[in-house]
Amino acid sequence: MGRDDVPLFRALQGEVVRNVEMMVIPADQTRARVLVANGQPLISSDGTLLGAVATMHDITERKEVEQSLATSEAFRRAIIDSSHDCIQVLDLAGNLLFMNLGGQRLMEIEDVERYLHKSWPELYQGPDREVALAACEQARQGRVGTFQSACATAKGKPKWWDVVITPMVDSEGRVQRLLAISRDITESHLHQQEWQDAMAFFADGI
């Protein structure tokens, strides 16, 4: 920061300066401090500039906390996005608020914005939709809703899912959101179906 950018100097030029963040390195070369500065010119009743006053507050710890939170949030988001499950956050009406990147890939969704703020149970068809609605209602009441059902991807590819819906509560235990985790069980479902078909075939031959 050059001399002309210093809040006190700017105030001495007649400028009102508000909430300017400055990084200052102490004379003893210890860690840099972050200050927020304000400058106010002092002007007489006839408009003469008499001087200026500046105030500075040390916000180093606050900035460090903000950075720590931002870093931990980015870390949590990276974990969620790398999950092989489809992780979704719903509002209490069952509308989709968030879907992780892994889930978007599983669902073959190229533009998730088309699905946000729309009914999540509507992704399921026929009786499966009623099952999804019932699971959402269980989570709204503070319980865990589970079901297994078919749901095609955005490109029409048939898939089977094992779904768990849990309530997301605030500090007072009130349900604020719903967390739906859908695991792709298509392969195991097809193997089970093949096994059942084979058993039925042999049973008919006996």
Side-chain angles (χ1 to χ4, degrees), residues 96-111:
L96 181 66
L97 300 179
F98 166 83
M99 180 185 292
N100 68 325
L101 291 178
Q104 293 174 45
R105 287 191 291 268
L106 286 171
M107 285 293 293
E108 299 184 309
I109 292 176
E110 295 180 354
D111 182 11

Side-chain angles (χ1 to χ4, degrees), residues 20-38:
V20 175
E21 290 189 12
M22 307 167 52
M23 183 170 290
V24 178
I25 300 178
D28 59 5
Q29 298 296 309
T30 55
R31 67 177 180 143
R33 308 297 297 182
V34 181
L35 308 178
V36 61
N38 295 276

Side-chain angles (χ1 to χ4, degrees), residues 4-205:
D4 292 345
D5 297 320
V6 175
L8 180 59
F9 182 81
R10 290 166 58 185
L12 286 170
Q13 307 306 308
E15 180 184 354
V16 176
V17 183
R18 300 197 184 282
N19 300 323
V20 175
E21 290 189 12
M22 307 167 52
M23 183 170 290
V24 178
I25 300 178
D28 59 5
Q29 298 296 309
T30 55
R31 67 177 180 143
R33 308 297 297 182
V34 181
L35 308 178
V36 61
N38 295 276
Q40 179 71 45
L42 300 176
I43 301 174
S44 66
S45 58
D46 63 2
T48 302
L49 181 63
L50 302 176
V53 61
T55 60
M56 288 183 285
H57 301 282
D58 190 332
I59 60 169
T60 306
E61 282 71 27
R62 192 192 81 189
K63 297 296 289 186
E64 289 175 347
V65 170
E66 290 175 352
Q67 181 61 42
S68 176
L69 289 174
T71 301
S72 60
E73 177 60 28
F75 180 67
R76 286 195 297 270
R77 183 63 179 262
I79 292 175
I80 291 173
D81 282 339
S82 65
S83 172
H84 294 296
D85 293 334
C86 185
I87 300 175
Q88 302 129 120
V89 177
L90 318 177
D91 64 18
L92 294 183
N95 297 312
L96 181 66
L97 300 179
F98 166 83
M99 180 185 292
N100 68 325
L101 291 178
Q104 293 174 45
R105 287 191 291 268
L106 286 171
M107 285 293 293
E108 299 184 309
I109 292 176
E110 295 180 354
D111 182 11
V112 74
E113 293 293 332
R114 294 178 52 194
Y115 296 86
L116 296 181
H117 309 293
K118 295 181 180 178
S119 175
W120 176 78
E122 292 296 320
L123 294 173
Y124 295 85
Q125 302 297 316
D128 293 330
R129 183 177 301 163
E130 296 302 318
V131 173
L133 286 168
C136 287
E137 179 59 29
Q138 284 186 298
R140 275 193 293 269
Q141 295 178 9
R143 301 194 296 272
V144 177
T146 63
F147 66 96
Q148 291 187 355
S149 179
C151 180
T153 69
K155 295 182 178 180
K157 182 179 180 180
K159 284 192 174 186
W160 275 81
W161 306 89
D162 181 77
V163 185
V164 178
I165 306 181
T166 56
M168 301 174 68
V169 300
D170 60 16
S171 59
E172 298 181 1
R174 293 173 299 194
V175 180
Q176 298 294 311
R177 295 284 188 271
L178 308 179
L179 177 65
I181 299 179
S182 305
R183 175 159 294 179
D184 185 353
I185 59 169
T186 305
E187 186 174 349
S188 62
H189 176 79
L190 291 176
H191 287 165
Q192 181 181 10
Q193 187 63 51
E194 291 172 355
W195 181 81
Q196 290 176 343
D197 291 343
M199 292 299 294
F201 175 80
F202 285 116
D204 290 341

